[in-house]
Amino acid sequence: SPGSSPNPPSTSSSTSPYQTSELDPGAFAYDVSGYENDVIMGADVQYQSTDNAYVVGFISGTQRYIVSLFIPKDDLKIGKVQMIPYDQTKAAKGNTAAIYINAFLYIAESGEYNFEVDPATGTLTGTFSFEARSKDFPDRVVTVAGAVNNVPLK
């Protein structure tokens, strides 16, 4: 219809509130909502990658929050990728995520990546969103939604 945008905004609550173009290279931003509510922006990245997956951590300035994204090295592609539930018993976790909040682990139950640049290029640029539940307090659920711009994968 006339005047409509070519990419209408998603009605899903899992859409990232941030655009990669708003971030400096090497930076990330994410919102935590639900049981906890906070806004995190930074560039403190930690790596815990394995032979079969990139594991990239985004650490808040206070270190209260650490988001970990798990991206299998054999499944790198541009575009939207659905996350699978985080399974601590599996070494190869697949496309999934987790967040530590004050050292308590919250594991992804569902979510998605939208890679704007093919991760096979060696950098991570795109958006992510996931819903995670506390391993210790199952009634505590958070939604994490954010973006990352040109963070090296290593």
Side-chain angles (χ1 to χ4, degrees):
S1 63
S4 67
S5 69
N7 295 311
S10 169
T11 54
S12 166
S13 61
S14 66
T15 304
S16 170
Y18 303 101
Q19 302 299 316
T20 56
S21 59
E22 298 172 326
L23 302 173
D24 289 336
F28 59 81
Y30 56 90
D31 285 358
V32 179
S33 59
Y35 184 76
E36 296 255 341
N37 293 280
D38 213 335
V39 175
I40 310 303
M41 296 186 149
D44 187 2
V45 180
Q46 73 174 6
Y47 297 93
Q48 295 181 326
S49 298
T50 65
D51 287 344
N52 55 23
Y54 292 109
V55 182
V56 184
F58 304 129
I59 305 172
S60 69
T62 63
Q63 299 188 345
R64 179 176 176 82
Y65 302 98
I66 303 173
V67 166
S68 292
L69 304 182
F70 296 80
I71 306 162
K73 292 178 179 177
D74 64 356
D75 190 27
L76 301 175
K77 57 184 175 256
I78 197 165
K80 289 188 178 180
V81 176
Q82 293 302 310
M83 290 184 190
I84 60 172
Y86 179 100
D87 184 343
Q88 280 188 298
T89 65
K90 292 183 179 176
K93 303 210 181 318
N95 285 294
T96 192
I99 181 171
Y100 280 94
I101 302 176
N102 253 6
F104 288 103
L105 178 64
Y106 288 64
I107 59 174
E109 295 186 328
S110 63
E112 82 174 17
Y113 295 118
N114 187 2
F115 297 119
E116 296 174 15
V117 175
D118 188 336
T121 61
T123 61
L124 189 58
T125 297
T127 59
F128 58 91
S129 59
F130 61 94
E131 187 169 279
R133 184 175 303 274
S134 171
K135 287 289 293 175
D136 301 284
F137 305 98
D139 59 323
R140 297 181 183 179
V141 177
V142 294
T143 299
V144 180
V148 54
N149 184 29
N150 205 32
V151 166
L153 287 171
K154 52 187 177 181

